[in-house]
């Protein structure tokens, strides 16, 4: 029985990879990894460290405008054709992307069960993040199985009327992914990261990792963040900043104009996933508006300043792993200073998003959805 795993962006691919590996070991279920083409090249890059290929690409027309409407209008017919051809037992969509929404709609219209990985995240503000909050709420209305990463996410779904029996609390598969990559301890492939790592070790310096890519961060909010980075570097002579920049030309130009040539600031292309994991392990502090990094960093006890006004990942903040600072220049710089001075510490209670067992729990939930007997335990598992 094929289970289609649909991805169009790097975060989707990273979070689907552990599930694909777990399904590949199942006696009756088989993963079918499908690339929507939303971000060309990124899905393949993200899957490669896990030894996973893309099994199928959607046949979509070339995109001219880059709008959401154009993307969806190309994805839906291609998805409909592939789903009719393959007839999978279920379609797994991840998170809150346009690919996920299109996949959920196409499968729902054909009566194929929609499985929502990372379900139940909510800010209850359709404008923040936009359009992701609306996208994930729409997917929730038609999903047959909701894989909630935390009890809080499950509670949010129940409050919206989703039956308890259609919700499984699994943890987040990104924790499975980050643990698997970290255990391999791969050397940096990015030359700038490798050189920076050596420089930090030789000079006994500290690394601050920065990422900012969300639409609501572009323009003036990003300018305030960049000003905070300048303050952090100026006030802490032992700090090196690593900023892998989003490929959007406007964002890249803004970052290079503000920070290009600034001493102790290294600007790179987006890092491959193993390099990002390595940077998270090395970092003394992370500044980010990324949802995934809020989930990944607690695995290494790395404190996170969340560059957003609201976050659907409250668990990291409530657990003392992260602090919500928005894009206020002074608040970012002051909070960073407290952490770098040792006045503010993250808790060491573990990662609130799981312990690396999410893929196994997801497979168990899929078995129940598809009315399969649990996979037989191996001799090693029974010992």
């Amino acid at each position: 029985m094929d289970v289609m795993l649909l991805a169009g962006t790097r975060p989707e691919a990273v979070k689907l990879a552990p599930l694909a590996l777990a399904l590949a070991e199942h006696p009756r279920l088989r993963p079918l990894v499908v690339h929507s083409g939303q971000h060309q090249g990124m899905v393949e890059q993200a899957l490669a460290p896990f030894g996973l290929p893309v099994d199928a690409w959607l046949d979509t027309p070339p995109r001219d405008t880059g709008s959401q409407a154009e993307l969806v209008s190309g994805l839906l017919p291609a998805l409909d054709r592939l789903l009719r051809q393959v007839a999978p037992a279920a379609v797994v969509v991840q998170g809150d992307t346009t690919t996920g929404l299109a996949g959920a709609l196409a499968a729902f219209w054909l009566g194929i069960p929609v499985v929502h990985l990372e379900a139940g995240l909510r800010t209850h503000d359709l404008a923040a993040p936009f359009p992701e909050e609306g996208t994930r709420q729409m997917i929730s209305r038609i999903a047959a199985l909701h894989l909630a990463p935390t009890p809080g996410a499950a509670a949010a779904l129940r409050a919206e009327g989703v039956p308890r029996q259609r919700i499984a609390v699994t943890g987040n598969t990104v924790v499975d992914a980050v643990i698997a990559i970290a255990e391999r301890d791969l050397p940096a492939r990015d030359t700038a990261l490798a050189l920076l790592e050596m420089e930090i070790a030789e000079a006994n310096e500290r690394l601050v990792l920065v990422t900012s890519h969300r639409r609501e961060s572009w323009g003036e909010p990003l300018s305030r963040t960049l000003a905070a980075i300048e303050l952090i570097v100026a006030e802490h002579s032992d700090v090196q900043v690593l900023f892998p920049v989003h490929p959007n030309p406007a964002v890249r130009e803004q970052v290079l104009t503000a920070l290009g040539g600034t001493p102790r600031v290294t600007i790179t292309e987006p890092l491959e996933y193993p390099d990002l994991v390595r940077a998270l392990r090395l970092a003394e502090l992370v500044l980010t508006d990324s949802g995934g990094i809020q989930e990944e960093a607690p695995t290494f006890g790395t404190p996170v300043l969340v560059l957003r006004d609201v976050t659907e990942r409250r668990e990291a903040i409530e657990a003392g792993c992260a602090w919500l600072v928005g894009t206020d220049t002074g608040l970012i710089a002051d909070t960073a200073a407290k952490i770098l001075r040792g006045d503010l510490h993250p808790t060491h209670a573990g990662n609130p998003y799981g312990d690396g067992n999410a893929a196994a729990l997801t497979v168990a939930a899929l078995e129940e959805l598809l009315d399969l007997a649990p996979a037989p335990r191996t001799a090693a598992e029974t010992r």
Side-chain angles (χ1 to χ4, degrees), residues 176-199:
D176 301 33
V178 80
I179 290 173
I181 295 298
E183 286 177 345
R184 293 165 63 184
D185 195 25
L186 300 171
R189 282 171 52 90
D190 184 274
T191 302
L193 174 59
L195 292 173
L196 185 59
E197 184 177 349
M198 288 190 293
E199 186 176 342

Side-chain angles (χ1 to χ4, degrees), residues 306-328:
V306 182
L307 305 173
R308 296 170 58 180
D309 294 325
V310 294
T311 180
E312 61 276 33
R313 294 167 172 86
R314 296 291 309 178
E315 292 86 355
I317 292 169
E318 292 164 358
C321 305
W323 291 265
L324 193 66
V325 295
T327 56
D328 181 284

Side-chain angles (χ1 to χ4, degrees), residues 6 26-27 29 67 158 168 222 237 274 288 297 314 318 344 349 368:
L6 181 62
H26 196 277
L29 298 175
S67 69
R158 292 195 299 271
L222 181 55
S237 60
T288 188
R314 296 291 309 178
E318 292 164 358
L344 195 59
E368 185 171 351

Side-chain angles (χ1 to χ4, degrees), residues 118-168:
E118 196 179 83
L121 277 64
R122 297 290 185 270
T123 65
H124 303 291
D125 180 355
L126 291 175
F130 180 86
E132 289 86 354
E133 176 70 10
T135 299
R136 56 186 170 232
Q137 289 195 32
M138 286 187 276
I139 295 173
S140 292
R141 302 284 71 80
I142 57 177
L145 175 61
H146 306 255
L147 302 170
T150 65
L157 290 165
R158 292 195 299 271
E160 295 174 1
V162 177
R164 185 182 299 270
Q165 62 269 26
R166 287 169 50 194
I167 303 169

